């Protein structure tokens, strides 16, 4: 008798073959910072923390989402950031919010909201966090990027501007990065108005050689033409009027003092008459940091930027309060750190690996691991593996100096085996004295390595 299989009728809607789900990627311009890179990020963070502690800055964290008007008013309606780069949306509750494109406006919001005006001035704050700008991604430019920043609020003295530029430069130095501070003064809004007119008068006759975008800038925000990367504008601006010639007396004096202070502390700077920065809140000093290089023609991304913003707190609804600050682009700093270190950093050294055999051994091993970890040892394990060979291979791969082995017998006897991984010798010790024994062995080993 032959059995012939009848074809099974498909139910309506049933798929013919199992579909595999399409893998997803991170959003364009945003990326994962993988474990292999964490060494550099940690270095950049610890350097920021150390320098801020020594300059007596207090850490502040503000939310990633802020009300949209904070940036429209703070950064400026006609800036590239507000016009085209903000991640803004309306919440289901109808609130208009924006993922912070920068943090200075938010720090000022916080200063006002928490009455920091009543604290001794200047209030010195630092922050570390990611910012979001919908820019065209390219080398060194991301849509989510990280900034370390410092703000000094409540003081208009030139020494504050100089100390901030010094701090930013010292931060780079502490990471082994040689930088130069490009610096300029853009005066007060009033003196800038006269300069703006002079600039329009200079560029207007040349407008038919400009791109549509630059024509718009000429109309709305002519100072932005000065940091255009378009070669036509770069050539045109060589003869353009310079803002320093339009500064009011008090801004000129302020700027002179900033430069004198920088000379005093030996911060290398370069006067840049066309540095205006892309945010509207600046008054007087503006600066940017670039890697020091002999190649003048090499296009570089700024590693950081900042300046004075004496009108911002008032624009945001606070009392008239002078302030200044800077932010460093950490993605760019990390990229330089990585380029410099050609060999990957060595893996962290492991003191003890805890290996286990059988279910009772594994249970005990969990507790031994905790005991060793809390006694200050660098401990590792592969608790999910039952093969002792795999565990010993892992201990070797991690470079563990000793392995603790615990099986059913040792659990019953109240002992552990300590294996010296270099010598290949083993000894049985009382489980109660394990940490003490290991400490002794560590001291002995380090004495041997010195002699
Ligand atoms: P900013 O010049 O817009 O200033 O940004 C500061 C730094 O952040 C830049 O110099 C750059 O290193 C980094 N950065 C900016 N955009 C990107 C991006 N798309 N991808 C990677 N890195 C980027 C500010 O944000 C002001 N809040 C600085 C400040 C603080 N002014 C006074 N206080």
């Amino acid at each position: 008798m032959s059995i012939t299989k009848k074809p099974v009728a498909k139910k309506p809607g049933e798929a013919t073959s199992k579909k595999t789900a399409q893998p997803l990627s991170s959003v364009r311009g945003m990326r994962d910072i993988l474990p292999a890179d964490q060494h550099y990020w940690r270095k950049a963070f610890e350097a920021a923390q150390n320098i801020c502690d020594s300059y007596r800055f207090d850490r502040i964290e503000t939310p990633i989402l802020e009300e949209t008007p904070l940036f429209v008013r703070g950064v400026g309606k006609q800036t590239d950031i507000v016009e085209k780069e903000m991640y803004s949306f309306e919440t289901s509750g109808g609130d208009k919010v924006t993922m912070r494109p920068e943090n200075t406006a938010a720090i000022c919001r916080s200063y006002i909201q928490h009455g920091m005006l009543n604290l001794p001035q200047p209030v010195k704050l630092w922050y570390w966090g990611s910012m979001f700008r919908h820019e065209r991604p390219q080398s060194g430019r991301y849509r989510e990027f990280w900034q370390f920043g410092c703000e000094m609020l409540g003081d208009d003295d030139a020494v504050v501007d100089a100390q901030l530029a010094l701090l930013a430069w010292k931060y780079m130095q502490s990471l082994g990065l040689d930088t130069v501070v490009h610096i300029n003064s853009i005066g007060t809004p009033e003196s800038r108005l006269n300069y703006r007119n002079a600039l329009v008068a200079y560029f207007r006759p040349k407008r038919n050689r400009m791109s549509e975008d630059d024509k718009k800038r000429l109309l709305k925000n002519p100072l932005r033409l000065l940091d255009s990367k378009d070669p036509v504008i770069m050539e045109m601006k060589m003869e353009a009027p310079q803002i320093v010639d339009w500064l009011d007396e008090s801004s000129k004096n302020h700027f002179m003092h900033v430069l004198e202070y920088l000379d005093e502390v030996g911060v290398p700077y370069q006067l840049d008459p066309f540095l205006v920065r892309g945010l509207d809140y600046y008054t007087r000093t503006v600066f940017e940091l670039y890697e020091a290089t002999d190649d003048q023609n090499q296009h570089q991304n700024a590693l950081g930027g900042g300046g004075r913003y004496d009108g911002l707190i008032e624009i945001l609804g606070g009392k008239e309060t002078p302030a200044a600050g800077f932010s460093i682009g950490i993605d760019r700093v990390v990229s330089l750190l990585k380029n410099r270190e050609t060999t990957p950093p060595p893996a962290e050294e492991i003191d003890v690996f805890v290996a286990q055999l059988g279910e009772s051994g594994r249970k005990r091993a969990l507790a031994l691991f905790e005991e060793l970890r809390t006694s200050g040892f660098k401990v590792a394990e592969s608790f999910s593996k039952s093969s002792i060979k795999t565990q010993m291979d892992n201990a070797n791969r991690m470079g563990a100096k000793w392995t603790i082995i615990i099986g059913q017998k040792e659990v019953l006897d109240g002992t552990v085996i300590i294996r010296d991984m270099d010598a290949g010798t083993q000894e049985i010790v009382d489980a109660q004295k394990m940490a003490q024994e290991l400490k002794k062995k560590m001291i002995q080993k380090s004495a041997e390595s010195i002699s």
Side-chain angles (χ1 to χ4, degrees):
M1 198 172 77
S2 71
I3 302 168
T4 47
K5 258 193 185 167
K6 267 194 207 161
V8 183
K10 267 192 216 108
K11 288 185 194 133
E14 196 175 64
T16 30
S17 63
K18 201 177 161 204
K19 267 195 188 159
T20 44
Q22 280 293 315
L24 299 171
S25 302
S26 58
V27 171
R28 188 165 131 81
M30 303 194 183
R31 68 212 200 285
D32 303 315
I33 299 165
L34 295 171
D37 280 353
Q38 289 297 337
H39 160 77
Y40 306 102
W41 285 82
R42 184 190 285 201
K43 213 168 169 175
F45 178 79
E46 284 174 357
Q49 193 165 39
N50 288 341
I51 203 156
C52 288
D53 283 350
S54 61
Y55 279 81
R56 304 265 160 267
F57 276 70
D58 292 318
R59 173 107 185 250
I60 182 166
E61 281 179 47
T62 57
I64 282 172
L65 279 188
E66 293 278 354
E67 288 191 72
T68 299
L70 175 68
F71 301 113
V72 177
R73 269 154 69 185
V75 175
K77 239 188 212 149
Q78 268 144 26
T79 56
D80 283 352
I81 294 181
V82 171
E83 268 191 346
K84 4 182 215 202
E85 295 169 2
M86 295 209 301
Y87 284 88
S88 300
F89 57 94
E90 202 171 306
T91 65
S92 51
D95 295 329
K96 290 188 168 59
V97 293
T98 293
M99 291 168 77
R100 60 183 184 194
E102 63 101 51
N103 214 20
T104 308
I107 300 291
C108 292
R109 194 260 313 130
S110 180
Y111 177 91
I112 301 166
Q113 186 174 341
H114 299 286
M116 294 188 212
L117 187 64
N118 301 318
L119 301 174
Q121 307 290 303
V123 172
K124 295 155 77 175
L125 302 170
W126 76 278
Y127 52 86
W128 176 282
S130 57
M131 311 291 150
F132 302 84
R133 294 184 194 171
H134 196 269
E135 293 187 81
R136 202 158 52 82
Q138 50 183 263
S139 159
R141 198 195 284 168
Y142 304 97
R143 289 180 171 171
E144 181 187 19
F145 60 96
W146 293 74
Q147 281 187 348
F148 148 52
C150 290
E151 313 288 346
M152 283 173 84
L153 307 113
D155 205 314
D156 67 355
D157 203 291
V159 76
V160 165
D161 310 39
Q163 208 184 14
L164 283 161
L166 167 70
L167 202 166
W169 179 74
K170 282 277 180 195
Y171 171 68
M172 297 296 191
Q173 288 259 304
S174 73
L175 289 167
L177 301 174
D178 236 351
T179 56
V180 176
V181 176
H182 289 208
I183 195 163
N184 193 20
S185 173
I186 59 168
T188 59
E190 298 75 44
S191 64
R192 211 151 51 239
L193 207 59
N194 296 332
Y195 175 63
R196 187 193 146 108
N197 294 338
L199 212 55
V200 173
Y202 172 82
F203 277 114
R204 196 183 284 133
K206 302 174 174 53
R207 64 190 296 282
N208 43 11
R209 286 173 54 211
M210 289 181 184
S211 68
E212 287 310 307
D213 262 3
D214 283 334
K215 278 182 193 160
K216 254 191 242 157
R217 281 195 190 109
L218 178 61
L219 265 179
K220 290 186 177 172
N221 199 352
L223 265 72
R224 298 294 301 142
L225 284 174
L226 297 178
D227 54 17
S228 166
K229 297 286 174 278
D230 181 340
V232 177
I233 304 290
M234 283 172 73
E235 196 204 311
M236 276 183 198
K237 82 174 179 193
M238 299 313 287
E239 306 279 309
Q242 299 190 355
I243 200 160
V244 276
D245 298 324
W246 296 81
L247 290 184
D248 53 286
E249 272 314 300
S250 146
S251 296
K252 239 187 243 171
N253 267 330
H254 192 273
F255 191 38
M256 252 174 45
H257 278 115
V258 175
L259 300 182
E260 279 168 19
Y261 292 130
L262 290 181
D263 286 332
E264 189 63 31
V265 282
V267 173
Y269 64 82
Q270 197 173 304
L271 295 177
D272 182 346
F274 297 123
L275 179 67
V276 287
R277 310 262 306 128
L279 303 100
D280 275 359
Y281 49 62
Y282 290 111
T283 52
R284 297 189 164 172
T285 318
V286 286
F287 64 89
E288 282 180 347
L289 274 93
Y290 289 87
E291 200 185 3
T293 162
D294 297 333
D295 185 356
Q296 296 296 316
N297 298 320
Q298 185 194 329
H299 167 72
Q300 281 192 36
N301 284 321
L303 295 173
R308 178 159 283 287
Y309 47 92
D310 289 345
L312 181 56
I313 292 178
E314 204 178 0
I315 289 173
L316 297 177
K319 290 213 177 91
E320 193 182 338
T321 310
F326 69 82
S327 317
I328 305 280
I330 296 301
D331 306 75
R332 296 178 184 178
V333 166
V334 163
S335 152
L336 290 181
L337 292 180
K338 276 176 72 176
N339 287 347
R340 233 183 14 173
E341 273 180 33
T342 42
T343 46
E348 195 197 28
E349 284 195 348
I350 299 295
D351 300 322
V352 196
F353 186 93
V354 180
Q356 31 75 39
L357 272 167
E359 195 47 33
S360 57
R362 181 180 287 176
K363 277 188 192 145
R364 206 45 212 118
L366 272 170
L368 292 180
F369 180 93
E370 284 312 305
E371 185 188 333
L372 290 168
R373 190 182 66 76
T374 49
S375 313
F377 291 99
K378 289 180 189 135
V379 207
E381 46 72 33
S382 303
F383 289 155
S384 62
K385 308 278 180 251
S386 32
S387 146
I388 192 74
K389 179 173 181 314
T390 310
Q391 293 182 67
M392 296 311 276
D393 286 350
N394 286 350
N396 273 320
R397 189 174 43 77
M398 293 178 193
K401 297 185 195 89
W402 292 278
T403 295
I404 296 290
I405 305 167
I406 176 125
Q408 195 181 358
K409 181 174 182 318
E410 287 74 27
V411 174
L412 290 174
D413 294 351
T415 58
V416 297
I417 299 170
I418 300 181
R419 182 178 174 85
D420 184 319
M421 298 299 280
D422 291 334
T425 51
Q426 291 190 176
E427 78 184 270
I428 299 169
V429 300
D430 185 342
Q432 307 274 329
K433 297 195 179 134
M434 171 192 69
Q436 205 182 322
E437 278 299 318
L438 277 167
K439 268 199 184 127
K440 239 195 273 169
K441 288 178 186 296
M442 267 184 99
I443 294 167
Q444 217 174 338
K445 202 163 248 197
S446 66
E448 278 168 16
S449 71
I450 293 167
S451 63

